């Protein structure tokens, strides 16, 4: 019998340890813990991996501490354009949305694309139209506003620069969010949600909503949710690469996840990390940055909530 397991992340990055106060650290850890326990409770009560990852990501989206949903970063135009994807590993059904505005929980809309449309990926106005058709009410920009995110945008507004929120070395908030889980039947699922990069323009889309790049699930192998420099994660087809190393090369989850983050991402020059579970409930959470907001819990009594590499 497999272990029921869940892992979550709130973004990877060059978090400068000395700039993290104990109050802030406690706030991040509490938010991670709340999401982790909510997802785990679903699994413990016999619920599905998809339900578990959705609830965990929704809670992280609702927290202004992370760059997803409420607290998403600002685009060059001062708006919020959010991306999200969800996938389950049994039938390999998937749903994704990109460049959505006004949607409180983009991950719920991604799931509705998976379950209530004939498509996998909807973008921009069309995805919001689909949401309205399903009865979603839209939030005003004020709901998503966060003063630190605003300041981050002011710092580079009007320049051609765009910034991965977690590449900033000074005090800042981090955080694309994601969850992966393995349920009692050995079905795995992955969910990822992000505001993308500060000051992004031209309809920039990162890896998070792209199936196979930032998010992937397959019961034969694993479920993966990524965070980091999206352009590199797209080019490395990172989430699918972890799965392929397991399927074609016979690697364990740990070996595959480490190979992709430490070696292959390193070769390309990308920064970030990922969380992954396999269909037996094993968990891996590698990253090549100074830290990654993360947590995991399984039915064997393992529980971790951590930020740095210690
Ligand atoms: N991967 C995300 C993106 O490029 C950003 C992140 O992980 O924080 O949009």
């Amino acid at each position: 019998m497999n272990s029921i397991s869940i892992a979550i992340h709130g973004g990877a990055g060059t978090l400068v340890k000395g700039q993290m106060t104990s109050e802030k650290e406690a706030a991040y850890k509490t938010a991670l813990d709340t999401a982790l326990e909510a997802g785990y409770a679903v699994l413990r009560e016999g619920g599905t991996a998809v339900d578990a990852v959705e609830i965990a990501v929704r809670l992280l989206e609702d927290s202004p501490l992370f760059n997803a949903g409420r607290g998403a970063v600002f685009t060059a135009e001062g708006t919020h354009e959010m991306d999200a994807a969800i996938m389950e590993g049994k039938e390999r059904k998937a749903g994704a949305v990109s460049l959505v505005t006004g949607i409180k929980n983009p991950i719920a809309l991604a799931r509705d694309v998976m379950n209530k449309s004939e498509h996998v990926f909807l973008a921009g106005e069309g995805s919001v139209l689909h949401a309205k058709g399903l009865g979603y009410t839209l939030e005003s920009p004020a709901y998503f506003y966060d003063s630190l995110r605003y300041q981050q945008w002011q710092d580079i507004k009007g320049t051609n620069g765009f910034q991965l929120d977690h590449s900033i070395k000074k005090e800042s908030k981090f955080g694309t969010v994601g969850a992966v889980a393995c349920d009692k039947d050995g079905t795995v699922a992955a969910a990822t949600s992000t505001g993308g990069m500060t000051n992004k323009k031209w309809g920039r889309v990162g890896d998070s909503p792209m199936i196979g790049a930032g998010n992937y699930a397959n019961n034969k192998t694993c479920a993966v949710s990524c965070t980091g420099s999206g352009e590199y994660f797209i080019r490395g087809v990172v989430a699918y690469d972890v799965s392929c190393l397991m399927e074609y090369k016979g690697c364990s989850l740990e070996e595959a996840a480490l190979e992709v983050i430490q070696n292959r991402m390193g070769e390309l020059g990308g920064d970030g990390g990922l969380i992954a579970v396999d269909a037996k409930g094993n968990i891996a959470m590698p990253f090549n940055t100074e830290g990654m907001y993360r947590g995991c819990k399984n039915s064997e009594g393992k529980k971790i909530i951590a930020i740095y590499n210690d």
Side-chain angles (χ1 to χ4, degrees), residues 70-88:
R70 192 170 182 206
V73 297
F74 285 85
T75 66
E77 288 78 37
T79 58
H80 305 281
E81 291 180 345
M82 297 168 288
D83 303 331
I86 193 163
M87 183 164 185
E88 64 80 45

Side-chain angles (χ1 to χ4, degrees), residues 59-211:
L59 288 167
L60 294 168
E61 287 176 335
D62 292 345
S63 165
L65 293 172
F66 303 102
N67 171 21
R70 192 170 182 206
V73 297
F74 285 85
T75 66
E77 288 78 37
T79 58
H80 305 281
E81 291 180 345
M82 297 168 288
D83 303 331
I86 193 163
M87 183 164 185
E88 64 80 45
K90 189 176 177 192
E91 293 171 58
R92 274 175 276 158
K93 289 195 293 180
V97 292
S98 185
L99 305 172
V100 299
T101 52
I103 302 293
K104 182 171 182 260
N105 292 110
I107 200 64
L109 183 55
R111 189 172 181 179
D112 278 339
V113 172
M114 173 168 86
N115 291 335
K116 298 177 185 164
S117 86
E118 289 165 349
H119 308 295
V120 169
F121 202 162
L122 301 181
E125 279 172 30
S127 51
V128 176
L129 213 58
H130 181 51
K132 283 183 183 160
L134 292 171
Y136 282 57
T137 52
L138 299 191
E139 298 293 339
S140 72
Y143 172 79
F144 299 94
Y145 178 89
D146 175 79
S147 56
L148 257 177
R149 297 286 182 222
Y150 186 75
Q151 196 48 53
Q152 288 176 344
W153 175 49
Q154 292 302 303
D155 290 347
I156 52 169
K157 185 182 168 187
T159 71
N160 275 331
F162 56 90
Q163 206 149 36
L164 198 62
D165 63 327
H166 48 62
S167 65
I168 301 168
K169 293 212 177 186
K170 61 182 184 176
E171 180 191 312
S172 69
K173 296 195 292 175
F174 303 88
T176 289
V177 305
V180 292
C182 175
D183 64 26
K184 66 175 191 339
D185 300 323
T187 283
V188 296
T192 309
S193 181
T194 188
M197 290 166 114
T198 300
N199 209 38
K200 64 183 182 177
K201 56 185 177 182
W202 304 321
R204 182 265 180 189
V205 179
D207 60 312
S208 309
M210 291 186 194
I211 300 304

